[in-house]
Amino acid sequence: MLTKYQQFFTGRPTVEIAKDLLGKRVCYAGLYGKTGGYIVETEAYLGENDSASHAFNGRRTDYTASLYGMPGDIYLYQIRGRYCFDIVVQDEEEPQGILLRGIEPCEGIDLMKRHRQMTGVNLTNGPAKLVQALGINSRQLDGQPMAGSPLYVDLENFKIPREIITTARIGVNLAGKDGAKPRRFFVAGNPYVSGMHKREMDLEKHGWKD
């Protein structure tokens, strides 16, 4: 039987879970302290039938095995030498995932700055940036359930977006059959969304409801 935590990550469409993650906190209890931030940008990947998915056409390797795990498991992968964090969703053997693309720092911010040697929105406004800022620099946690892991999403303490924007995903093959599908979601106006233009930023409330 699935735990209540696991149930959040299955039983409904992946795009709905991706939108519902906006405003939740991702946290990492690392060796040097705790870091964390509110999720402001996600992308949904719909498994074997999604041309942008690592599991497209049933592709399965030792590297991508974690995608076939339980809902709420961690899928850490490398791209161009940098680490990205996917959350496994849907039932076991149904390899769908949600990529975290941006977070608004809220805990251990000074530590995050040291990890990145960076300040401002560039601290966490991209999938590899946020993983580095949290303090993760290996695939050691790959395949672990977030419940009980030092890397997890806090479902109890969250903010609520005023508006959610939906677009095509970033960095996928647009020539693929699903390349232009609307599967990227972000908090309108949040400065930590990747590629957010300054003129579009809500610098007062960061796109959150009161």
Side-chain angles (χ1 to χ4, degrees):
M1 182 179 294
L2 296 178
T3 66
K4 183 178 179 181
Y5 190 85
Q6 289 173 320
Q7 288 172 7
F8 177 90
F9 297 101
T10 190
R12 54 198 170 126
T14 296
V15 293
E16 294 300 322
I17 302 171
K19 287 187 280 189
D20 203 11
L21 278 170
L22 297 175
K24 305 296 191 293
R25 287 197 312 170
V26 60
C27 305
Y28 178 57
L31 183 62
Y32 301 105
K34 191 174 182 181
T35 51
Y38 293 103
I39 300 168
V40 300
E41 183 181 2
T42 60
E43 286 181 345
Y45 290 85
L46 275 53
E48 297 180 352
N49 294 315
D50 185 344
S51 65
S53 169
H54 290 180
F56 182 49
N57 279 340
R59 187 186 310 126
R60 183 171 186 164
T61 67
D62 289 343
Y63 193 87
T64 62
S66 298
L67 260 180
Y68 290 80
M70 297 290 288
D73 283 1
I74 295 166
Y75 175 43
L76 280 170
Y77 66 91
Q78 265 187 304
I79 181 166
R80 292 186 287 276
R82 304 216 173 169
Y83 296 95
C84 296
F85 174 29
D86 264 38
I87 299 170
V88 179
V89 296
Q90 306 308 342
D91 296 338
E92 189 175 16
E93 298 298 320
E94 176 58 51
Q96 300 195 32
I98 295 170
L99 172 67
L100 302 191
R101 281 200 58 91
I103 63 173
E104 179 182 322
C106 67
E107 187 167 10
I109 297 175
D110 287 341
L111 183 56
M112 296 171 87
K113 290 176 180 177
R114 290 202 295 274
H115 289 154
R116 284 271 295 139
Q117 294 294 298
M118 185 72 64
T119 60
V121 297
N122 282 321
L123 188 61
T124 52
N125 66 345
K129 295 176 184 180
L130 72 88
V131 172
Q132 184 182 29
L134 288 172
I136 297 164
N137 51 24
S138 77
R139 297 188 70 216
Q140 183 178 357
L141 298 174
D142 179 61
Q144 290 192 15
M146 282 194 297
S149 167
L151 174 62
Y152 62 95
V153 173
D154 178 356
L155 301 176
E156 303 299 324
N157 300 284
F158 54 85
K159 292 179 178 286
I160 300 174
R162 293 180 65 87
E163 181 184 2
I164 294 173
I165 303 295
T166 302
T167 73
R169 293 168 293 192
I170 294 175
V172 303
N173 180 9
L174 294 177
K177 71 177 183 65
D178 302 301
K181 293 286 179 65
R183 294 174 181 169
R184 170 179 174 247
F185 310 98
F186 64 86
V187 178
N190 191 281
Y192 291 90
V193 171
S194 60
M196 177 71 69
H197 296 296
K198 193 165 185 178
R199 66 181 179 273
E200 299 170 338
M201 293 180 181
D202 173 6
L203 297 176
E204 182 181 354
K205 296 187 177 180
H206 289 191
W208 305 116
K209 286 186 177 180
D210 294 333

